[in-house]
Amino acid sequence: MGICDNRTIIVTGSGSGLGRTYALALAAEGANVVVNDINADAANGVVAEIKAAGGAAVAGIDDITSMAGAANIIKAGVDAFGDVHGVVNNAGIVRDRMFASMSEDEWDLVIKVHMKGHFCIANTLVKHWRAQVKDGKKVDARIINTSSGAGLQGSIGQSNYAAAKGGIASLTLVQAAELGRYGITANALAPAARTGMTEGPFGEIMKKPTDGSFDYYAPENVAPLVVWLCSPLSAKVSGRVFEVEGGKVSVANGWKTGTIADNKARWNPADLTAVIEGLIAKDPAPQKVYGT
């Protein structure tokens, strides 16, 4: 018996990297997995791995950045397993460039894959779950989004990626606030692990140890939290962003209203210098941007 028995979970971008480890871990805990990847060979390969281990899976190779593609991925899960109970929005790309040198295409593509990809499949699923609720069915559904440390505190050379991931963190808060009435939770991950997207900038730091010691940046270290978030055990947790790396897990402490200076009237612009300096001095300094 596993903690995800009888649940069907879509994992986007699960033909390799973190997504593949999520799919394998979910299947090991009893979930039926829809392995989504636009690389059909990669998706079918993960499906074969899951089935060889005694699990249940089906491939969904449509593009997550269109509503039609999202609908087809969901249909693959419903046709194979009767329903879908959650999605792990994992698919992503990077097009790293210093902000002053970034092209319009580099900006648009990263925003599309991350933000629109998160929107299309979650929006389509939410409509599916809301219809079930209106028909009197009890729903216990999950949206697990993927943010990033770059989205929470910024990252030099990744303004497009950081903006998308910051937007996803905010999206998660809104989803949680709006969708709880339907039995849907929404949470997000900010994982640190060795994947195709981190091999370039962090390859030396994240390389696999050769001495048999704990592989701190192995993507498999992130998977247990994903499995738990997809399970019924997480039903009371929503609207949170979890940072996870190695054996560490924490709940991110995001933007909050800081110390307030109230003039009880309109400010004189020149007077704000001392006021702003005082406010900044009173509140904790933000974490440093990655790369600074």
Side-chain angles (χ1 to χ4, degrees):
M1 296 289 288
I3 66 170
C4 287
D5 281 351
N6 303 313
R7 291 176 71 76
T8 298
I9 308 295
I10 297 167
V11 184
T12 70
S14 50
S16 61
L18 280 168
R20 172 181 170 275
T21 66
Y22 299 162
L24 295 173
L26 282 161
E29 285 290 339
N32 307 311
V33 183
V34 180
V35 179
N36 163 251
D37 205 289
I38 56 173
N39 183 329
D41 289 342
N44 287 319
V46 175
V47 169
E49 282 188 81
I50 290 171
K51 289 182 174 180
V58 64
I61 58 174
D62 286 84
D63 186 349
I64 59 169
T65 66
S66 76
M67 299 300 276
N72 286 336
I73 296 163
I74 294 163
K75 184 177 185 298
V78 173
D79 288 350
F81 306 116
D83 203 356
V84 173
H85 305 94
V87 59
V88 182
N89 282 314
N90 164 77
I93 62 168
V94 289
R95 294 293 185 272
D96 293 350
R97 190 88 58 193
M98 297 300 282
F99 182 73
S101 302
M102 185 166 292
S103 71
E104 183 178 4
D105 286 344
E106 288 168 335
W107 178 272
D108 286 348
L109 186 58
V110 169
I111 297 298
K112 179 181 179 181
V113 172
H114 289 275
M115 297 202 73
K116 191 176 181 186
H118 271 60
F119 167 77
C120 289
I121 198 158
N123 180 264
T124 306
L125 268 174
V126 164
K127 289 173 180 173
H128 169 76
W129 291 326
R130 184 177 62 180
Q132 291 181 331
V133 171
K134 289 182 177 180
D135 287 341
K137 182 176 180 179
K138 181 178 173 58
V139 168
D140 184 26
R142 303 286 180 270
I143 298 171
I144 294 93
N145 295 325
T146 303
S147 184
S148 168
L152 301 181
Q153 64 197 70
S155 180
I156 295 293
Q158 293 190 307
S159 58
N160 49 2
Y161 180 77
K165 291 304 191 182
I168 287 166
S170 295
L171 170 65
T172 303
L173 302 182
V174 177
Q175 288 174 328
E178 291 184 355
L179 304 178
R181 73 189 73 178
Y182 304 118
I184 304 166
T185 68
N187 293 284
L189 306 168
R194 187 175 56 250
T195 70
M197 289 199 301
T198 60
E199 282 176 348
F202 305 112
E204 186 62 26
I205 296 171
M206 291 186 171
K207 67 180 181 181
K208 186 174 182 178
T210 58
D211 60 1
S213 60
F214 176 53
D215 187 357
Y216 187 85
Y217 287 108
E220 289 81 4
N221 298 335
V222 182
L225 177 60
V226 173
V227 173
W228 183 82
L229 286 170
C230 288
S231 79
L233 299 176
S234 66
K236 295 182 180 180
V237 178
S238 194
R240 302 289 185 168
V241 179
F242 295 90
E243 293 186 88
V244 56
E245 62 176 85
K248 299 177 182 178
V249 61
S250 62
V251 181
N253 198 354
W255 292 103
K256 293 183 178 181
T257 302
T259 303
I260 297 172
D262 186 355
N263 198 37
K264 305 297 184 183
R266 186 178 300 124
W267 289 98
N268 178 346
D271 293 340
L272 283 169
T273 301
V275 172
I276 300 303
E277 288 176 351
L279 291 176
I280 290 173
K282 289 177 182 177
D283 285 335
Q287 287 181 238
K288 288 185 176 182
V289 171
Y290 283 110
T292 60

